[in-house]
Amino acid sequence: MIKVAVIGTGGMAKNHALKLSQKDKSKVVACCDISAERVAEFAKTYNIPETYTDLSEMLEKCDFDAISIVTPDAFHAPIALQALAAGKHVLSEKPLATSVEDAEKMVAAAKKAGVINMVNFSYRDSSAIQRAAKMVQGGELGRIFHVEAHYLQSWLTAKDWGDWATSPGWLWRCSTEHGSNGVLGDVGVHILDFATFPVGDAASLQARLHTFDKAPGNQIGEYKLDANDSALMIVEFASGAMGTVTTTRMATGHMNSLALSIHGEKGALRIDLDKSYHMIETSRIGADGKTEPWESHYCPPTPNIYERFIESIASGVQDQPDFARGLAVQKMLDAATESNQSKQPVQL
Ligand SMILES: NC(=O)c1ccc[n+]([C@@H]2O[C@H](COP(=O)([O-])OP(=O)(O)OC[C@H]3O[C@@H](n4cnc5c(N)ncnc54)[C@H](O)[C@@H]3O)[C@@H](O)[C@H]2O)c1
């Protein structure tokens, strides 16, 4: 039985508590949060025996094998480095870190510790993206020319997920001082992984980031609202393909929409997670050189990240996406920030 500790017991931690306890394979034995109230409530809700408000104390007193980090972004690196030094396997929430420098330290520390390390690019749980990667990498679409990807949210324009202006869980995401890299670091990270997982690494990236005026003086309480709300990126892939990747929190009409289309010399594919995580559409160039109608294909479910993490620990075989992959995506995030400042494409 693999014993897991969860650190950070806010909104996303629910998924970790539920999915990291896997029948006779793994169990969440402890949780930790700087808020004593939240950690106690969380432990009660998910029946977790031990609670802590300090990581060092948890490392000293609790018997566990692996940690899952579900704190705000700025704390992923320091917590992971401390846990890795203690020899724990680590599943980190995305983005892996808030800078390439920190992500590199995490990759090096994980290698030194010789433990399983993964980053929660959770949309890899879609069997459709797994199929897309196999199709593109297996050459089914031929040479890839064009890629379009978007991740659209609207929690800054609509209240379906609550009132962002009165919720610390949303406010820290609007503030660089609170460790957020805006929509780019929050969900841009997902769509950059989603686009480059099948097609391969980016060779260069050009970006325009924008922060909209949202409150008087763009400040609410302790939160300076300076993090980006929209990110528009042009990506040149190492393979020579060209693509656009866009993301925003202002896409009224879309609560949480991810879509990707990939166009090659022999055919094209598209995925729309609003329709299904397990369906891919394809169109091919027929023998007559003409476009065949789009067809839908069901893709049987593939293991989710939590299952991959536990299975990796059990087998000792590192699965993807690992910290090195988190670092590769972090490089794209930092390149986007640099490009926005210089107004030039950045080579990766
Ligand atoms: N993979 C996904 O699809 C996905 C979805 C949502 C959130 N996330 C990620 O999960 C992380 C947490 O997001 P959330 O929405 O749960 O945030 P949240 O604000 O709801 O919860 C964060 C929790 O961490 C605690 N915390 C802060 N600093 C801490 C520290 N140093 N040690 C221990 N606990 C600390 C806070 O008290 C809070 O309870 C973020 O990195 C976010 O990017 C990922």
PDB file of all heavy atoms in Angstrom, residues 7-12 33-34 38 70-73 75-76 79 93-94 120 122 169 172-173 186 190, ligand 1:
ATOM      1  N   ILE A   7      -0.583  18.082   0.161  1.00  0.00           N
ATOM      2  CA  ILE A   7      -0.312  19.393   0.762  1.00  0.00           C
ATOM      3  C   ILE A   7      -1.015  20.488  -0.028  1.00  0.00           C
ATOM      4  O   ILE A   7      -0.901  20.544  -1.252  1.00  0.00           O
ATOM      5  CB  ILE A   7       1.204  19.659   0.936  1.00  0.00           C
ATOM      6  CG1 ILE A   7       1.432  21.016   1.609  1.00  0.00           C
ATOM      7  CG2 ILE A   7       1.980  19.543  -0.362  1.00  0.00           C
ATOM      8  CD1 ILE A   7       2.792  21.200   2.242  1.00  0.00           C
ATOM      9  N   GLY A   8      -1.769  21.323   0.714  1.00  0.00           N
ATOM     10  CA  GLY A   8      -2.680  22.286   0.104  1.00  0.00           C
ATOM     11  C   GLY A   8      -4.041  21.623   0.047  1.00  0.00           C
ATOM     12  O   GLY A   8      -4.200  20.618  -0.646  1.00  0.00           O
ATOM     13  N   THR A   9      -5.001  22.167   0.804  1.00  0.00           N
ATOM     14  CA  THR A   9      -6.307  21.490   0.883  1.00  0.00           C
ATOM     15  C   THR A   9      -7.433  22.430   0.438  1.00  0.00           C
ATOM     16  O   THR A   9      -8.495  22.478   1.046  1.00  0.00           O
ATOM     17  CB  THR A   9      -6.558  20.953   2.313  1.00  0.00           C
ATOM     18  OG1 THR A   9      -6.493  22.053   3.234  1.00  0.00           O
ATOM     19  CG2 THR A   9      -5.548  19.904   2.704  1.00  0.00           C
ATOM     20  N   GLY A  10      -7.173  23.165  -0.648  1.00  0.00           N
ATOM     21  CA  GLY A  10      -8.194  24.065  -1.211  1.00  0.00           C
ATOM     22  C   GLY A  10      -9.030  23.356  -2.257  1.00  0.00           C
ATOM     23  O   GLY A  10      -9.279  22.144  -2.171  1.00  0.00           O
ATOM     24  N   GLY A  11      -9.447  24.103  -3.275  1.00  0.00           N
ATOM     25  CA  GLY A  11     -10.402  23.615  -4.269  1.00  0.00           C
ATOM     26  C   GLY A  11      -9.958  22.367  -5.025  1.00  0.00           C
ATOM     27  O   GLY A  11     -10.709  21.396  -5.135  1.00  0.00           O
ATOM     28  N   MET A  12      -8.741  22.360  -5.549  1.00  0.00           N
ATOM     29  CA  MET A  12      -8.295  21.261  -6.405  1.00  0.00           C
ATOM     30  C   MET A  12      -7.947  19.992  -5.616  1.00  0.00           C
ATOM     31  O   MET A  12      -7.931  18.890  -6.161  1.00  0.00           O
ATOM     32  CB  MET A  12      -7.071  21.729  -7.222  1.00  0.00           C
ATOM     33  CG  MET A  12      -6.539  20.725  -8.192  1.00  0.00           C
ATOM     34  SD  MET A  12      -7.803  20.285  -9.424  1.00  0.00           S
ATOM     35  CE  MET A  12      -6.963  18.989 -10.310  1.00  0.00           C
ATOM     36  N   ASP A  33      -1.930  21.900   5.460  1.00  0.00           N
ATOM     37  CA  ASP A  33      -2.283  23.214   4.909  1.00  0.00           C
ATOM     38  C   ASP A  33      -1.871  24.256   5.944  1.00  0.00           C
ATOM     39  O   ASP A  33      -1.892  23.959   7.145  1.00  0.00           O
ATOM     40  CB  ASP A  33      -3.799  23.299   4.635  1.00  0.00           C
ATOM     41  CG  ASP A  33      -4.158  24.436   3.688  1.00  0.00           C
ATOM     42  OD1 ASP A  33      -3.991  25.619   4.071  1.00  0.00           O
ATOM     43  OD2 ASP A  33      -4.590  24.151   2.554  1.00  0.00           O
ATOM     44  N   ILE A  34      -1.545  25.447   5.484  1.00  0.00           N
ATOM     45  CA  ILE A  34      -1.207  26.498   6.440  1.00  0.00           C
ATOM     46  C   ILE A  34      -2.444  26.926   7.233  1.00  0.00           C
ATOM     47  O   ILE A  34      -2.320  27.521   8.291  1.00  0.00           O
ATOM     48  CB  ILE A  34      -0.555  27.718   5.752  1.00  0.00           C
ATOM     49  CG1 ILE A  34      -1.370  28.128   4.522  1.00  0.00           C
ATOM     50  CG2 ILE A  34       0.895  27.431   5.378  1.00  0.00           C
ATOM     51  CD1 ILE A  34      -0.922  29.449   3.912  1.00  0.00           C
ATOM     52  N   ARG A  38      -8.945  24.751   7.514  1.00  0.00           N
ATOM     53  CA  ARG A  38      -9.176  24.060   6.229  1.00  0.00           C
ATOM     54  C   ARG A  38      -8.672  22.622   6.256  1.00  0.00           C
ATOM     55  O   ARG A  38      -9.322  21.708   5.759  1.00  0.00           O
ATOM     56  CB  ARG A  38      -8.502  24.821   5.082  1.00  0.00           C
ATOM     57  CG  ARG A  38      -9.529  25.490   4.175  1.00  0.00           C
ATOM     58  CD  ARG A  38      -8.944  26.000   2.883  1.00  0.00           C
ATOM     59  NE  ARG A  38      -7.778  26.834   2.996  1.00  0.00           N
ATOM     60  CZ  ARG A  38      -7.804  28.136   3.152  1.00  0.00           C
ATOM     61  NH1 ARG A  38      -8.947  28.782   3.232  1.00  0.00           N
ATOM     62  NH2 ARG A  38      -6.685  28.839   3.226  1.00  0.00           N
ATOM     63  N   VAL A  70      -0.631  20.615  -3.891  1.00  0.00           N
ATOM     64  CA  VAL A  70      -1.823  21.274  -4.452  1.00  0.00           C
ATOM     65  C   VAL A  70      -1.963  22.682  -3.867  1.00  0.00           C
ATOM     66  O   VAL A  70      -3.064  23.177  -3.628  1.00  0.00           O
ATOM     67  CB  VAL A  70      -3.102  20.441  -4.185  1.00  0.00           C
ATOM     68  CG1 VAL A  70      -4.140  20.709  -5.277  1.00  0.00           C
ATOM     69  CG2 VAL A  70      -2.821  18.946  -4.127  1.00  0.00           C
ATOM     70  N   THR A  71      -0.826  23.300  -3.612  1.00  0.00           N
ATOM     71  CA  THR A  71      -0.803  24.672  -3.095  1.00  0.00           C
ATOM     72  C   THR A  71      -0.817  25.654  -4.268  1.00  0.00           C
ATOM     73  O   THR A  71      -0.618  25.252  -5.418  1.00  0.00           O
ATOM     74  CB  THR A  71       0.502  24.904  -2.314  1.00  0.00           C
ATOM     75  OG1 THR A  71       1.578  24.715  -3.242  1.00  0.00           O
ATOM     76  CG2 THR A  71       0.651  23.942  -1.160  1.00  0.00           C
ATOM     77  N   PRO A  72      -0.972  26.959  -3.992  1.00  0.00           N
ATOM     78  CA  PRO A  72      -0.768  27.933  -5.071  1.00  0.00           C
ATOM     79  C   PRO A  72       0.619  27.749  -5.709  1.00  0.00           C
ATOM     80  O   PRO A  72       1.569  27.266  -5.067  1.00  0.00           O
ATOM     81  CB  PRO A  72      -0.894  29.282  -4.351  1.00  0.00           C
ATOM     82  CG  PRO A  72      -1.829  28.994  -3.209  1.00  0.00           C
ATOM     83  CD  PRO A  72      -1.461  27.603  -2.757  1.00  0.00           C
ATOM     84  N   ASP A  73       0.726  28.192  -6.960  1.00  0.00           N
ATOM     85  CA  ASP A  73       1.876  27.885  -7.812  1.00  0.00           C
ATOM     86  C   ASP A  73       3.244  28.191  -7.172  1.00  0.00           C
ATOM     87  O   ASP A  73       4.194  27.421  -7.330  1.00  0.00           O
ATOM     88  CB  ASP A  73       1.784  28.670  -9.133  1.00  0.00           C
ATOM     89  CG  ASP A  73       0.426  28.492  -9.819  1.00  0.00           C
ATOM     90  OD1 ASP A  73      -0.370  27.656  -9.348  1.00  0.00           O
ATOM     91  OD2 ASP A  73       0.170  29.186 -10.815  1.00  0.00           O
ATOM     92  N   PHE A  75       4.422  27.920  -4.393  1.00  0.00           N
ATOM     93  CA  PHE A  75       4.938  27.014  -3.363  1.00  0.00           C
ATOM     94  C   PHE A  75       5.291  25.629  -3.898  1.00  0.00           C
ATOM     95  O   PHE A  75       5.817  24.795  -3.163  1.00  0.00           O
ATOM     96  CB  PHE A  75       3.923  26.904  -2.212  1.00  0.00           C
ATOM     97  CG  PHE A  75       3.566  28.237  -1.634  1.00  0.00           C
ATOM     98  CD1 PHE A  75       2.362  28.852  -1.939  1.00  0.00           C
ATOM     99  CD2 PHE A  75       4.468  28.913  -0.822  1.00  0.00           C
ATOM    100  CE1 PHE A  75       2.049  30.102  -1.443  1.00  0.00           C
ATOM    101  CE2 PHE A  75       4.172  30.169  -0.315  1.00  0.00           C
ATOM    102  CZ  PHE A  75       2.953  30.768  -0.626  1.00  0.00           C
ATOM    103  N   HIS A  76       5.002  25.380  -5.180  1.00  0.00           N
ATOM    104  CA  HIS A  76       5.303  24.048  -5.725  1.00  0.00           C
ATOM    105  C   HIS A  76       6.797  23.739  -5.592  1.00  0.00           C
ATOM    106  O   HIS A  76       7.175  22.646  -5.141  1.00  0.00           O
ATOM    107  CB  HIS A  76       4.893  23.944  -7.201  1.00  0.00           C
ATOM    108  CG  HIS A  76       3.421  24.126  -7.441  1.00  0.00           C
ATOM    109  ND1 HIS A  76       2.873  24.228  -8.698  1.00  0.00           N
ATOM    110  CD2 HIS A  76       2.367  24.230  -6.582  1.00  0.00           C
ATOM    111  CE1 HIS A  76       1.559  24.382  -8.608  1.00  0.00           C
ATOM    112  NE2 HIS A  76       1.237  24.394  -7.328  1.00  0.00           N
ATOM    113  N   ILE A  79       8.251  23.343  -1.832  1.00  0.00           N
ATOM    114  CA  ILE A  79       7.718  22.128  -1.189  1.00  0.00           C
ATOM    115  C   ILE A  79       8.312  20.887  -1.852  1.00  0.00           C
ATOM    116  O   ILE A  79       8.747  19.946  -1.179  1.00  0.00           O
ATOM    117  CB  ILE A  79       6.173  22.121  -1.236  1.00  0.00           C
ATOM    118  CG1 ILE A  79       5.619  23.243  -0.345  1.00  0.00           C
ATOM    119  CG2 ILE A  79       5.621  20.764  -0.805  1.00  0.00           C
ATOM    120  CD1 ILE A  79       4.128  23.488  -0.481  1.00  0.00           C
ATOM    121  N   GLU A  93       1.177  19.842  -8.696  1.00  0.00           N
ATOM    122  CA  GLU A  93       0.214  20.523  -9.561  1.00  0.00           C
ATOM    123  C   GLU A  93       0.962  21.370 -10.584  1.00  0.00           C
ATOM    124  O   GLU A  93       2.146  21.634 -10.459  1.00  0.00           O
ATOM    125  CB  GLU A  93      -0.736  21.399  -8.714  1.00  0.00           C
ATOM    126  CG  GLU A  93      -2.054  20.721  -8.414  1.00  0.00           C
ATOM    127  CD  GLU A  93      -2.741  20.185  -9.685  1.00  0.00           C
ATOM    128  OE1 GLU A  93      -2.457  20.672 -10.796  1.00  0.00           O
ATOM    129  OE2 GLU A  93      -3.546  19.262  -9.577  1.00  0.00           O
ATOM    130  N   LYS A  94       0.267  21.735 -11.610  1.00  0.00           N
ATOM    131  CA  LYS A  94       0.831  22.604 -12.636  1.00  0.00           C
ATOM    132  C   LYS A  94       0.618  24.063 -12.218  1.00  0.00           C
ATOM    133  O   LYS A  94      -0.301  24.319 -11.430  1.00  0.00           O
ATOM    134  CB  LYS A  94       0.212  22.318 -14.007  1.00  0.00           C
ATOM    135  CG  LYS A  94      -1.327  22.393 -14.015  1.00  0.00           C
ATOM    136  CD  LYS A  94      -1.826  23.797 -13.999  1.00  0.00           C
ATOM    137  CE  LYS A  94      -3.174  24.044 -13.546  1.00  0.00           C
ATOM    138  NZ  LYS A  94      -3.501  25.429 -13.256  1.00  0.00           N
ATOM    139  N   ASN A 120       0.885  17.545 -12.897  1.00  0.00           N
ATOM    140  CA  ASN A 120      -0.515  17.230 -13.195  1.00  0.00           C
ATOM    141  C   ASN A 120      -1.072  18.003 -14.396  1.00  0.00           C
ATOM    142  O   ASN A 120      -1.920  18.888 -14.247  1.00  0.00           O
ATOM    143  CB  ASN A 120      -1.386  17.463 -11.957  1.00  0.00           C
ATOM    144  CG  ASN A 120      -2.735  16.776 -12.099  1.00  0.00           C
ATOM    145  OD1 ASN A 120      -2.922  15.938 -12.977  1.00  0.00           O
ATOM    146  ND2 ASN A 120      -3.680  17.133 -11.242  1.00  0.00           N
ATOM    147  N   SER A 122      -3.513  17.680 -16.331  1.00  0.00           N
ATOM    148  CA  SER A 122      -4.647  16.771 -16.167  1.00  0.00           C
ATOM    149  C   SER A 122      -5.418  16.495 -17.458  1.00  0.00           C
ATOM    150  O   SER A 122      -6.124  15.489 -17.538  1.00  0.00           O
ATOM    151  CB  SER A 122      -5.589  17.292 -15.088  1.00  0.00           C
ATOM    152  OG  SER A 122      -5.709  18.684 -15.174  1.00  0.00           O
ATOM    153  N   GLY A 169      -9.422  32.194  -3.539  1.00  0.00           N
ATOM    154  CA  GLY A 169      -9.016  31.152  -4.492  1.00  0.00           C
ATOM    155  C   GLY A 169      -8.935  31.665  -5.925  1.00  0.00           C
ATOM    156  O   GLY A 169      -8.181  31.138  -6.742  1.00  0.00           O
ATOM    157  N   TRP A 172      -5.956  35.159  -5.853  1.00  0.00           N
ATOM    158  CA  TRP A 172      -4.500  34.945  -5.959  1.00  0.00           C
ATOM    159  C   TRP A 172      -4.108  34.673  -7.403  1.00  0.00           C
ATOM    160  O   TRP A 172      -2.985  34.972  -7.826  1.00  0.00           O
ATOM    161  CB  TRP A 172      -3.984  33.865  -4.992  1.00  0.00           C
ATOM    162  CG  TRP A 172      -4.297  32.419  -5.277  1.00  0.00           C
ATOM    163  CD1 TRP A 172      -5.230  31.649  -4.643  1.00  0.00           C
ATOM    164  CD2 TRP A 172      -3.656  31.532  -6.227  1.00  0.00           C
ATOM    165  NE1 TRP A 172      -5.221  30.363  -5.143  1.00  0.00           N
ATOM    166  CE2 TRP A 172      -4.267  30.256  -6.112  1.00  0.00           C
ATOM    167  CE3 TRP A 172      -2.620  31.686  -7.154  1.00  0.00           C
ATOM    168  CZ2 TRP A 172      -3.884  29.151  -6.887  1.00  0.00           C
ATOM    169  CZ3 TRP A 172      -2.243  30.583  -7.930  1.00  0.00           C
ATOM    170  CH2 TRP A 172      -2.867  29.340  -7.793  1.00  0.00           C
ATOM    171  N   ARG A 173      -5.049  34.162  -8.190  1.00  0.00           N
ATOM    172  CA  ARG A 173      -4.763  33.868  -9.599  1.00  0.00           C
ATOM    173  C   ARG A 173      -4.666  35.136 -10.453  1.00  0.00           C
ATOM    174  O   ARG A 173      -4.282  35.065 -11.617  1.00  0.00           O
ATOM    175  CB  ARG A 173      -5.850  32.964 -10.173  1.00  0.00           C
ATOM    176  CG  ARG A 173      -5.783  31.529  -9.680  1.00  0.00           C
ATOM    177  CD  ARG A 173      -6.970  30.738 -10.213  1.00  0.00           C
ATOM    178  NE  ARG A 173      -6.742  29.305 -10.209  1.00  0.00           N
ATOM    179  CZ  ARG A 173      -6.905  28.502  -9.171  1.00  0.00           C
ATOM    180  NH1 ARG A 173      -7.279  29.003  -8.012  1.00  0.00           N
ATOM    181  NH2 ARG A 173      -6.690  27.212  -9.272  1.00  0.00           N
ATOM    182  N   ASP A 186      -1.808  29.586 -15.305  1.00  0.00           N
ATOM    183  CA  ASP A 186      -2.902  28.805 -14.731  1.00  0.00           C
ATOM    184  C   ASP A 186      -3.408  27.762 -15.731  1.00  0.00           C
ATOM    185  O   ASP A 186      -3.377  26.557 -15.446  1.00  0.00           O
ATOM    186  CB  ASP A 186      -4.028  29.760 -14.316  1.00  0.00           C
ATOM    187  CG  ASP A 186      -5.063  29.087 -13.430  1.00  0.00           C
ATOM    188  OD1 ASP A 186      -4.761  28.034 -12.848  1.00  0.00           O
ATOM    189  OD2 ASP A 186      -6.191  29.606 -13.323  1.00  0.00           O
ATOM    190  N   HIS A 190      -1.704  24.264 -19.591  1.00  0.00           N
ATOM    191  CA  HIS A 190      -2.394  23.064 -20.084  1.00  0.00           C
ATOM    192  C   HIS A 190      -2.442  23.048 -21.610  1.00  0.00           C
ATOM    193  O   HIS A 190      -2.196  22.023 -22.241  1.00  0.00           O
ATOM    194  CB  HIS A 190      -3.839  23.036 -19.584  1.00  0.00           C
ATOM    195  CG  HIS A 190      -4.007  22.578 -18.169  1.00  0.00           C
ATOM    196  ND1 HIS A 190      -3.548  21.372 -17.710  1.00  0.00           N
ATOM    197  CD2 HIS A 190      -4.624  23.168 -17.109  1.00  0.00           C
ATOM    198  CE1 HIS A 190      -3.868  21.236 -16.433  1.00  0.00           C
ATOM    199  NE2 HIS A 190      -4.512  22.308 -16.049  1.00  0.00           N
TER     200      HIS A 190
HETATM  201  N1  LIG B   1      -4.489  20.312 -12.921  1.00  0.00           N
HETATM  202  C1  LIG B   1      -5.582  21.045 -12.921  1.00  0.00           C
HETATM  203  O1  LIG B   1      -6.430  20.890 -13.793  1.00  0.00           O
HETATM  204  C2  LIG B   1      -5.783  22.080 -11.851  1.00  0.00           C
HETATM  205  C3  LIG B   1      -7.051  22.631 -11.604  1.00  0.00           C
HETATM  206  C4  LIG B   1      -7.172  23.572 -10.569  1.00  0.00           C
HETATM  207  C5  LIG B   1      -6.046  23.963  -9.852  1.00  0.00           C
HETATM  208  N2  LIG B   1      -4.822  23.425 -10.151  1.00  0.00           N
HETATM  209  C6  LIG B   1      -3.614  23.839  -9.423  1.00  0.00           C
HETATM  210  O2  LIG B   1      -3.734  23.429  -8.073  1.00  0.00           O
HETATM  211  C7  LIG B   1      -3.074  24.351  -7.214  1.00  0.00           C
HETATM  212  C8  LIG B   1      -4.039  24.787  -6.123  1.00  0.00           C
HETATM  213  O3  LIG B   1      -5.156  25.413  -6.720  1.00  0.00           O
HETATM  214  P1  LIG B   1      -6.534  25.543  -5.911  1.00  0.00           P
HETATM  215  O4  LIG B   1      -7.546  25.989  -6.879  1.00  0.00           O
HETATM  216  O5  LIG B   1      -6.783  24.338  -5.105  1.00  0.00           O
HETATM  217  O6  LIG B   1      -6.144  26.765  -4.946  1.00  0.00           O
HETATM  218  P2  LIG B   1      -6.853  27.180  -3.588  1.00  0.00           P
HETATM  219  O7  LIG B   1      -6.489  28.592  -3.372  1.00  0.00           O
HETATM  220  O8  LIG B   1      -8.289  26.780  -3.614  1.00  0.00           O
HETATM  221  O9  LIG B   1      -6.142  26.232  -2.491  1.00  0.00           O
HETATM  222  C9  LIG B   1      -4.789  26.344  -2.150  1.00  0.00           C
HETATM  223  C10 LIG B   1      -4.599  25.829  -0.731  1.00  0.00           C
HETATM  224  O10 LIG B   1      -3.188  25.810  -0.446  1.00  0.00           O
HETATM  225  C11 LIG B   1      -2.978  26.295   0.876  1.00  0.00           C
HETATM  226  N3  LIG B   1      -1.604  26.777   0.984  1.00  0.00           N
HETATM  227  C12 LIG B   1      -1.085  27.946   0.561  1.00  0.00           C
HETATM  228  N4  LIG B   1       0.242  27.978   0.801  1.00  0.00           N
HETATM  229  C13 LIG B   1       0.561  26.810   1.404  1.00  0.00           C
HETATM  230  C14 LIG B   1       1.774  26.260   1.894  1.00  0.00           C
HETATM  231  N5  LIG B   1       2.924  26.926   1.792  1.00  0.00           N
HETATM  232  N6  LIG B   1       1.735  25.034   2.478  1.00  0.00           N
HETATM  233  C15 LIG B   1       0.559  24.362   2.594  1.00  0.00           C
HETATM  234  N7  LIG B   1      -0.615  24.839   2.125  1.00  0.00           N
HETATM  235  C16 LIG B   1      -0.619  26.041   1.535  1.00  0.00           C
HETATM  236  C17 LIG B   1      -4.043  27.367   1.048  1.00  0.00           C
HETATM  237  O11 LIG B   1      -4.275  27.639   2.411  1.00  0.00           O
HETATM  238  C18 LIG B   1      -5.246  26.722   0.345  1.00  0.00           C
HETATM  239  O12 LIG B   1      -6.005  25.924   1.229  1.00  0.00           O
HETATM  240  C19 LIG B   1      -2.583  25.483  -8.106  1.00  0.00           C
HETATM  241  O13 LIG B   1      -1.222  25.321  -8.391  1.00  0.00           O
HETATM  242  C20 LIG B   1      -3.398  25.338  -9.381  1.00  0.00           C
HETATM  243  O14 LIG B   1      -2.696  25.785 -10.524  1.00  0.00           O
HETATM  244  C21 LIG B   1      -4.695  22.495 -11.122  1.00  0.00           C
END
